[in-house]
Amino acid sequence: METDEGLLQWLENIDTFGIGVVDGVPPTHEDTAKLAKRITFIRETHYGKYWSFTADMAHADTAYTNMALPAHTDTTYFTEPIGIQLFHITNFQGRGGESLYVDGFHIAKKLKKVNPDAYDLLSRFPVPTHSAGDPKFFMTPQFSRGVPILNHDPLTGALRMVRFNNDDRSVLDARFLEKPMEVEAFYDALREWTKLLRSPKNEVYIKLEPGRVAAVNNWRVLHGRSEFDGKRTVGGCYIGMDDFKSRLRILKEGNDIYKNDL
């Protein structure tokens, strides 16, 4: 990561596959933050600039427990969810706690093939979300009716973002739905989506250890973990998608990027 060539390879892996791993990072918060800043500046949120958590319920969030977490994306309650997320287990003395990753674009492709009606509904049905329980914050997107789970480019129609966290999903209010009669069909589609998402065939578990940092495209790859016992400390931070893409383009094209845009 000390060279731009090595950094570019890492960022291209994240951009192409939705995840990129770096080994040999000293297991400290300072060194993990330093690695993140090789990409760009860190996006600060209500969790802080660089966050570190263990099973102490410091925030009213399931991440701060030792329970298993099903695959999800982070910050679905933001108007624009964070783009890239870094994970580094800086200390672990116990059992379990394997990191779970699922390619959301792959799941969406499967759903579209086996149940196109469900895919269509999840692409347009507004899902309200929130982050509640913390006495200092109450986060909701600035969309009154919510945002679909599958989000597409308005010009090309290509899938550009998956935003799904069942634990952050709010109650549906029929008063804000254009077609209230679709509520039952939505839950049927959600059931099909969740079935594919939690199929062992679509899950990848990786044993992250001190020294190994995983960077995940939060718009594409869902993450989770298995249950654990003992002491487990995870550090990491968020990076905005626009900032990540900017750094990637500059590393790939340099000053030629301006010529190509003229």
Side-chain angles (χ1 to χ4, degrees):
M1 290 301 106
E2 296 179 355
T3 67
D4 283 349
E5 290 76 13
L7 177 62
L8 175 59
Q9 182 179 352
W10 183 37
L11 300 193
E12 285 185 325
N13 284 341
I14 299 169
D15 192 54
T16 302
F17 305 110
I19 186 171
V21 175
V22 175
D23 288 315
V25 182
T28 69
H29 303 324
E30 293 77 14
D31 285 291
T32 309
K34 182 179 177 180
L35 174 65
K37 291 175 183 176
R38 283 286 285 135
I39 304 175
T40 185
F41 56 86
I42 295 171
R43 176 175 173 179
E44 188 168 6
T45 69
H46 58 303
Y47 294 113
K49 197 166 189 178
Y50 179 93
W51 38 256
S52 174
F53 63 86
T54 187
D56 60 1
M57 285 304 294
H59 287 273
D61 191 297
T62 51
Y64 292 79
T65 70
N66 63 353
M67 63 191 293
L69 300 180
H72 63 280
T73 61
D74 270 14
T75 61
T76 60
Y77 40 77
F78 284 0
T79 301
E80 178 178 286
I82 57 94
I84 306 298
Q85 181 169 7
L86 272 68
F87 295 98
H88 191 185
I89 296 179
T90 55
N91 177 57
F92 185 36
Q93 300 173 24
R95 297 175 299 175
E98 288 82 8
S99 298
L100 165 66
Y101 301 106
V102 179
D103 187 343
F105 283 12
H106 176 67
I107 300 302
K109 184 178 180 180
K110 278 192 167 185
L111 181 66
K112 189 174 185 178
K113 182 178 181 180
V114 300
N115 195 329
D117 290 340
Y119 182 94
D120 174 69
L121 195 55
L122 296 184
S123 299
R124 56 183 176 79
F125 193 92
V127 179
T129 54
H130 70 278
S131 173
D134 193 312
K136 295 183 179 180
F137 302 99
F138 187 89
M139 301 287 187
T140 59
Q142 298 306 300
F143 302 102
S144 59
R145 296 189 300 122
V147 187
I149 291 172
L150 304 178
N151 296 257
H152 298 77
D153 187 295
L155 183 62
T156 66
L159 181 64
R160 60 182 291 269
M161 181 197 301
V162 172
R163 48 192 301 164
F164 176 73
N165 187 338
N166 208 48
D167 290 339
D168 294 333
R169 186 162 55 85
S170 299
V171 177
L172 292 176
D173 190 332
R175 295 174 300 172
F176 297 106
L177 298 178
E178 291 184 0
K179 299 179 180 180
M181 69 290 297
E182 287 188 330
V183 169
E184 186 173 348
F186 163 73
Y187 281 115
D188 289 338
L190 183 62
R191 188 177 299 109
E192 291 299 313
W193 165 262
T194 305
K195 186 189 305 182
L196 288 171
L197 194 65
R198 298 184 181 178
S199 169
K201 295 186 297 183
N202 299 321
E203 296 178 324
V204 174
Y205 281 91
I206 299 176
K207 184 70 173 180
L208 293 182
E209 299 175 343
R212 169 169 285 190
V213 175
V216 177
N217 179 345
N218 186 61
W219 289 14
R220 172 179 174 177
V221 173
L222 299 89
H223 66 275
R225 67 164 183 244
S226 63
E227 184 181 9
F228 69 92
D229 58 28
K231 179 72 172 179
R232 182 180 187 265
T233 303
V234 181
C237 55
Y238 294 139
I239 289 173
M241 183 60 78
D242 289 340
D243 305 310
F244 168 78
K245 289 288 189 177
S246 170
R247 182 67 161 142
L248 177 61
R249 293 182 71 185
I250 291 296
L251 286 172
K252 290 176 68 173
E253 304 179 44
N255 291 331
D256 289 340
I257 190 173
Y258 300 106
K259 298 176 183 178
N260 294 337
D261 284 348
L262 293 178

Short mmCIF file of all heavy atoms in Angstrom, two decimals, residues 208-239:
data_model
loop_
_atom_site.label_atom_id
_atom_site.label_comp_id
_atom_site.label_asym_id
_atom_site.label_seq_id
_atom_site.Cartn_x
_atom_site.Cartn_y
_atom_site.Cartn_z
N LEU A 208 -11.41 -13.23 9.41
CA LEU A 208 -10.54 -12.07 9.52
C LEU A 208 -9.75 -12.15 10.83
O LEU A 208 -10.31 -12.48 11.86
CB LEU A 208 -11.34 -10.77 9.48
CG LEU A 208 -12.05 -10.44 8.16
CD1 LEU A 208 -12.75 -9.09 8.28
CD2 LEU A 208 -11.06 -10.42 7.00
N GLU A 209 -8.48 -11.82 10.75
CA GLU A 209 -7.61 -11.86 11.92
C GLU A 209 -6.85 -10.55 12.03
O GLU A 209 -6.78 -9.78 11.06
CB GLU A 209 -6.63 -13.04 11.80
CG GLU A 209 -7.31 -14.41 11.72
CD GLU A 209 -6.32 -15.54 11.49
OE1 GLU A 209 -5.18 -15.22 11.08
OE2 GLU A 209 -6.67 -16.70 11.73
N PRO A 210 -6.27 -10.27 13.18
CA PRO A 210 -5.46 -9.06 13.30
C PRO A 210 -4.40 -9.00 12.22
O PRO A 210 -3.67 -9.97 11.99
CB PRO A 210 -4.84 -9.20 14.70
CG PRO A 210 -5.85 -10.00 15.47
CD PRO A 210 -6.40 -10.98 14.48
N GLY A 211 -4.34 -7.88 11.52
CA GLY A 211 -3.39 -7.72 10.42
C GLY A 211 -4.04 -7.78 9.05
O GLY A 211 -3.45 -7.35 8.06
N ARG A 212 -5.27 -8.31 8.96
CA ARG A 212 -5.99 -8.41 7.67
C ARG A 212 -7.16 -7.44 7.66
O ARG A 212 -8.05 -7.51 8.51
CB ARG A 212 -6.48 -9.83 7.45
CG ARG A 212 -7.44 -9.98 6.28
CD ARG A 212 -7.70 -11.43 5.94
NE ARG A 212 -6.56 -12.00 5.24
CZ ARG A 212 -6.57 -13.18 4.64
NH1 ARG A 212 -7.66 -13.92 4.67
NH2 ARG A 212 -5.50 -13.64 4.04
N VAL A 213 -7.16 -6.53 6.69
CA VAL A 213 -8.21 -5.53 6.55
C VAL A 213 -9.04 -5.83 5.31
O VAL A 213 -8.49 -6.06 4.23
CB VAL A 213 -7.62 -4.11 6.43
CG1 VAL A 213 -8.72 -3.09 6.16
CG2 VAL A 213 -6.87 -3.74 7.71
N ALA A 214 -10.35 -5.86 5.47
CA ALA A 214 -11.27 -6.04 4.35
C ALA A 214 -11.98 -4.72 4.07
O ALA A 214 -12.48 -4.07 4.99
CB ALA A 214 -12.29 -7.13 4.65
N ALA A 215 -11.99 -4.32 2.80
CA ALA A 215 -12.73 -3.14 2.38
C ALA A 215 -13.88 -3.60 1.49
O ALA A 215 -13.68 -4.36 0.53
CB ALA A 215 -11.83 -2.17 1.62
N VAL A 216 -15.09 -3.15 1.80
CA VAL A 216 -16.29 -3.67 1.16
C VAL A 216 -17.07 -2.53 0.50
O VAL A 216 -17.23 -1.45 1.07
CB VAL A 216 -17.20 -4.36 2.21
CG1 VAL A 216 -18.49 -4.84 1.57
CG2 VAL A 216 -16.46 -5.53 2.85
N ASN A 217 -17.55 -2.80 -0.72
CA ASN A 217 -18.46 -1.88 -1.40
C ASN A 217 -19.84 -2.05 -0.78
O ASN A 217 -20.54 -3.02 -1.05
CB ASN A 217 -18.50 -2.20 -2.90
CG ASN A 217 -19.44 -1.29 -3.67
OD1 ASN A 217 -20.29 -0.59 -3.10
ND2 ASN A 217 -19.33 -1.29 -4.99
N ASN A 218 -20.24 -1.10 0.04
CA ASN A 218 -21.49 -1.18 0.79
C ASN A 218 -22.72 -1.02 -0.10
O ASN A 218 -23.83 -1.30 0.33
CB ASN A 218 -21.50 -0.11 1.89
CG ASN A 218 -22.69 -0.22 2.82
OD1 ASN A 218 -22.89 -1.22 3.50
ND2 ASN A 218 -23.50 0.84 2.85
N TRP A 219 -22.54 -0.60 -1.34
CA TRP A 219 -23.65 -0.50 -2.28
C TRP A 219 -23.90 -1.83 -2.99
O TRP A 219 -24.88 -1.96 -3.71
CB TRP A 219 -23.39 0.59 -3.31
CG TRP A 219 -23.46 1.98 -2.78
CD1 TRP A 219 -23.45 2.37 -1.47
CD2 TRP A 219 -23.53 3.18 -3.55
NE1 TRP A 219 -23.52 3.74 -1.37
CE2 TRP A 219 -23.57 4.27 -2.63
CE3 TRP A 219 -23.58 3.46 -4.91
CZ2 TRP A 219 -23.65 5.60 -3.06
CZ3 TRP A 219 -23.65 4.79 -5.33
CH2 TRP A 219 -23.68 5.84 -4.41
N ARG A 220 -23.00 -2.77 -2.80
CA ARG A 220 -23.11 -4.05 -3.52
C ARG A 220 -23.03 -5.27 -2.61
O ARG A 220 -23.87 -6.18 -2.69
CB ARG A 220 -22.00 -4.15 -4.58
CG ARG A 220 -21.92 -5.51 -5.24
CD ARG A 220 -20.84 -5.56 -6.29
NE ARG A 220 -20.67 -6.91 -6.82
CZ ARG A 220 -19.83 -7.23 -7.80
NH1 ARG A 220 -19.08 -6.30 -8.37
NH2 ARG A 220 -19.74 -8.49 -8.21
N VAL A 221 -22.04 -5.31 -1.73
CA VAL A 221 -21.79 -6.49 -0.92
C VAL A 221 -22.39 -6.32 0.48
O VAL A 221 -22.12 -5.32 1.16
CB VAL A 221 -20.28 -6.77 -0.81
CG1 VAL A 221 -20.00 -7.90 0.19
CG2 VAL A 221 -19.72 -7.14 -2.19
N LEU A 222 -23.20 -7.27 0.87
CA LEU A 222 -23.78 -7.28 2.21
C LEU A 222 -22.83 -8.02 3.14
O LEU A 222 -22.16 -8.97 2.72
CB LEU A 222 -25.16 -7.93 2.20
CG LEU A 222 -26.23 -7.26 1.34
CD1 LEU A 222 -26.20 -7.81 -0.08
CD2 LEU A 222 -27.62 -7.47 1.92
N HIS A 223 -22.78 -7.62 4.39
CA HIS A 223 -21.87 -8.24 5.34
C HIS A 223 -22.61 -8.65 6.60
O HIS A 223 -23.72 -8.18 6.88
CB HIS A 223 -20.72 -7.29 5.69
CG HIS A 223 -21.17 -6.06 6.43
ND1 HIS A 223 -21.65 -4.94 5.79
CD2 HIS A 223 -21.24 -5.78 7.77
CE1 HIS A 223 -21.97 -4.02 6.67
NE2 HIS A 223 -21.74 -4.50 7.89
N GLY A 224 -21.99 -9.54 7.36
CA GLY A 224 -22.56 -10.01 8.62
C GLY A 224 -21.48 -10.76 9.37
O GLY A 224 -20.29 -10.61 9.10
N ARG A 225 -21.88 -11.60 10.29
CA ARG A 225 -20.89 -12.39 11.04
C ARG A 225 -21.60 -13.54 11.73
O ARG A 225 -22.84 -13.53 11.91
CB ARG A 225 -20.18 -11.53 12.09
CG ARG A 225 -21.10 -11.08 13.22
CD ARG A 225 -20.33 -10.56 14.43
NE ARG A 225 -21.28 -10.22 15.49
CZ ARG A 225 -21.46 -9.02 15.98
NH1 ARG A 225 -20.77 -7.99 15.53
NH2 ARG A 225 -22.36 -8.81 16.97
N SER A 226 -20.83 -14.54 12.13
CA SER A 226 -21.37 -15.63 12.93
C SER A 226 -21.28 -15.24 14.41
O SER A 226 -20.56 -14.31 14.79
CB SER A 226 -20.57 -16.92 12.68
OG SER A 226 -19.22 -16.77 13.08
N GLU A 227 -22.03 -15.94 15.23
CA GLU A 227 -22.02 -15.68 16.67
C GLU A 227 -20.62 -15.95 17.23
O GLU A 227 -19.86 -16.76 16.69
CB GLU A 227 -23.05 -16.59 17.35
CG GLU A 227 -23.21 -16.37 18.84
CD GLU A 227 -24.23 -17.32 19.45
OE1 GLU A 227 -24.66 -18.25 18.74
OE2 GLU A 227 -24.58 -17.14 20.63
N PHE A 228 -20.27 -15.27 18.30
CA PHE A 228 -18.95 -15.50 18.90
C PHE A 228 -19.02 -15.39 20.41
O PHE A 228 -19.98 -14.85 20.98
CB PHE A 228 -17.92 -14.50 18.35
CG PHE A 228 -18.12 -13.07 18.79
CD1 PHE A 228 -17.49 -12.57 19.92
CD2 PHE A 228 -18.94 -12.22 18.06
CE1 PHE A 228 -17.68 -11.27 20.34
CE2 PHE A 228 -19.13 -10.91 18.46
CZ PHE A 228 -18.50 -10.43 19.60
N ASP A 229 -17.99 -15.91 21.05
CA ASP A 229 -17.82 -15.68 22.48
C ASP A 229 -16.40 -15.18 22.71
O ASP A 229 -15.54 -15.27 21.84
CB ASP A 229 -18.10 -16.95 23.30
CG ASP A 229 -17.22 -18.12 22.90
OD1 ASP A 229 -16.09 -17.90 22.42
OD2 ASP A 229 -17.66 -19.27 23.06
N GLY A 230 -16.16 -14.62 23.87
CA GLY A 230 -14.85 -14.07 24.16
C GLY A 230 -14.78 -12.58 23.86
O GLY A 230 -15.81 -11.90 23.77
N LYS A 231 -13.59 -12.08 23.71
CA LYS A 231 -13.33 -10.66 23.49
C LYS A 231 -12.97 -10.44 22.01
O LYS A 231 -12.00 -10.99 21.52
CB LYS A 231 -12.17 -10.19 24.37
CG LYS A 231 -11.79 -8.73 24.21
CD LYS A 231 -12.82 -7.81 24.81
CE LYS A 231 -12.32 -6.36 24.80
NZ LYS A 231 -13.32 -5.42 25.36
N ARG A 232 -13.77 -9.63 21.33
CA ARG A 232 -13.56 -9.37 19.90
C ARG A 232 -13.71 -7.86 19.66
O ARG A 232 -14.76 -7.30 19.90
CB ARG A 232 -14.60 -10.14 19.07
CG ARG A 232 -14.48 -10.02 17.56
CD ARG A 232 -15.59 -10.86 16.94
NE ARG A 232 -15.52 -10.98 15.49
CZ ARG A 232 -16.19 -10.20 14.63
NH1 ARG A 232 -16.96 -9.22 15.11
NH2 ARG A 232 -16.09 -10.39 13.34
N THR A 233 -12.65 -7.24 19.17
CA THR A 233 -12.67 -5.81 18.91
C THR A 233 -12.50 -5.57 17.41
O THR A 233 -11.55 -6.07 16.80
CB THR A 233 -11.54 -5.08 19.66
OG1 THR A 233 -11.65 -5.35 21.06
CG2 THR A 233 -11.62 -3.58 19.42
N VAL A 234 -13.43 -4.85 16.84
CA VAL A 234 -13.40 -4.53 15.41
C VAL A 234 -13.26 -3.03 15.24
O VAL A 234 -14.00 -2.26 15.86
CB VAL A 234 -14.69 -5.02 14.70
CG1 VAL A 234 -14.62 -4.70 13.21
CG2 VAL A 234 -14.89 -6.50 14.92
N GLY A 235 -12.32 -2.63 14.42
CA GLY A 235 -12.14 -1.23 14.10
C GLY A 235 -12.41 -1.00 12.63
O GLY A 235 -12.33 -1.93 11.81
N GLY A 236 -12.71 0.22 12.27
CA GLY A 236 -12.95 0.52 10.87
C GLY A 236 -13.47 1.92 10.66
O GLY A 236 -13.50 2.74 11.58
N CYS A 237 -13.89 2.18 9.44
CA CYS A 237 -14.38 3.51 9.10
C CYS A 237 -15.14 3.45 7.79
O CYS A 237 -15.18 2.41 7.11
CB CYS A 237 -13.22 4.50 9.00
SG CYS A 237 -11.94 4.00 7.83
N TYR A 238 -15.74 4.57 7.44
CA TYR A 238 -16.52 4.69 6.21
C TYR A 238 -15.85 5.66 5.25
O TYR A 238 -15.17 6.61 5.66
CB TYR A 238 -17.92 5.24 6.52
CG TYR A 238 -18.81 4.34 7.34
CD1 TYR A 238 -19.61 4.88 8.35
CD2 TYR A 238 -18.86 2.98 7.12
CE1 TYR A 238 -20.46 4.08 9.10
CE2 TYR A 238 -19.70 2.17 7.86
CZ TYR A 238 -20.50 2.72 8.85
OH TYR A 238 -21.34 1.92 9.59
N ILE A 239 -16.09 5.43 3.96
CA ILE A 239 -15.61 6.32 2.91
C ILE A 239 -16.76 6.54 1.94
O ILE A 239 -17.50 5.61 1.60
CB ILE A 239 -14.39 5.72 2.18
CG1 ILE A 239 -13.17 5.74 3.09
CG2 ILE A 239 -14.10 6.46 0.87
CD1 ILE A 239 -11.97 5.02 2.53
#
